[in-house]
Amino acid sequence: AQDIKDGIDFLLKQGKIAPKIAITGGSAGGYAVQRALTLYPELFDVGASYYGIGNLLTLAKLTHKFESRYLDWLIGASLPEGREIYESRSPIFHLDNLRAPMILFQGKEDPIVTPEVSQEVVKALSERNVLHEYIEYEGEEHGFRSKETNIDALNRESRFYKKVLYDMKE
């Protein structure tokens, strides 16, 4: 997330981007969205997380076995010994820092980042009264395959940005 912040700071100083900043990403990029929004709340105005990871502990518990070992390698620790590291790097434990609204997209049949991972974040956002939307797509897995789903998700993301950034209603 630090590299994302550094890149944005550079572009802002160069006058290459507007001060209203949205961030979007899928899977590990969806995790980066949630992490950046909680680590640098003053920098972002809105975010879109596609099948992103909010809680690394939940992901480790629910993902299929192949991905669970990969997670240990990425985090640099394994559970249960590394629980503190998993928590410190999980956006869900830092949502009190969040200022930006977020839209989350999820495939109902995703075996890697299961719907429960996104639903857990949505529940926490609701409890904190953070403006958000959550869309789950029937028949989609990790990475949307259907042209219709991709078009719908991009349209919803665009409408959410307009609503948040420009207070536009459709």
Side-chain angles (χ1 to χ4, degrees), residues 1 4 23-39 48-57 59 71 74-75 85-92 94 102 104 113 117-118 121 142:
I4 295 168
I23 183 171
T24 185
S27 191
Y31 167 74
V33 166
Q34 294 182 41
R35 186 97 162 114
L37 290 174
T38 56
L39 279 176
S49 177
Y50 286 77
Y51 31 88
I53 304 152
N55 187 340
L56 294 164
L57 294 167
L59 179 70
L71 193 55
L74 284 176
I75 301 299
I85 294 170
Y86 274 66
E87 284 181 4
S88 72
R89 295 183 185 170
S90 293
I92 198 163
H94 307 285
M102 188 173 12
L104 299 98
V113 178
V117 175
S118 290
V121 172
H142 195 70

Side-chain angles (χ1 to χ4, degrees), residues 79-149:
L79 292 170
E81 304 82 29
R83 183 176 183 84
E84 201 172 294
I85 294 170
Y86 274 66
E87 284 181 4
S88 72
R89 295 183 185 170
S90 293
I92 198 163
F93 296 108
H94 307 285
L95 287 178
D96 289 337
N97 298 334
L98 185 70
R99 294 186 195 150
M102 188 173 12
I103 187 167
L104 299 98
F105 297 92
Q106 180 67 48
K108 279 193 175 187
E109 283 77 43
D110 189 337
I112 297 169
V113 178
T114 64
E116 292 85 358
V117 175
S118 290
Q119 291 164 359
E120 183 179 23
V121 172
V122 170
K123 182 176 185 252
L125 292 172
S126 294
E127 289 169 354
R128 288 168 176 76
N129 294 315
V130 174
L131 178 62
H132 67 280
E133 288 182 22
Y134 177 63
I135 299 93
E136 243 180 42
Y137 290 102
E138 203 65 58
E140 289 289 357
E141 295 184 20
H142 195 70
F144 300 153
R145 309 291 190 280
S146 152
K147 179 171 91 173
E148 292 78 16
T149 297

Side-chain angles (χ1 to χ4, degrees), residues 7-62:
I8 291 170
D9 287 344
F10 175 79
L11 293 171
L12 283 168
K13 285 178 190 166
Q14 299 294 313
K16 305 235 182 226
I17 58 175
K20 289 187 178 185
I21 300 172
I23 183 171
T24 185
S27 191
Y31 167 74
V33 166
Q34 294 182 41
R35 186 97 162 114
L37 290 174
T38 56
L39 279 176
Y40 310 108
E42 72 290 344
L43 191 58
F44 299 96
D45 296 285
V46 64
S49 177
Y50 286 77
Y51 31 88
I53 304 152
N55 187 340
L56 294 164
L57 294 167
T58 303
L59 179 70
K61 184 172 36 171
L62 297 178

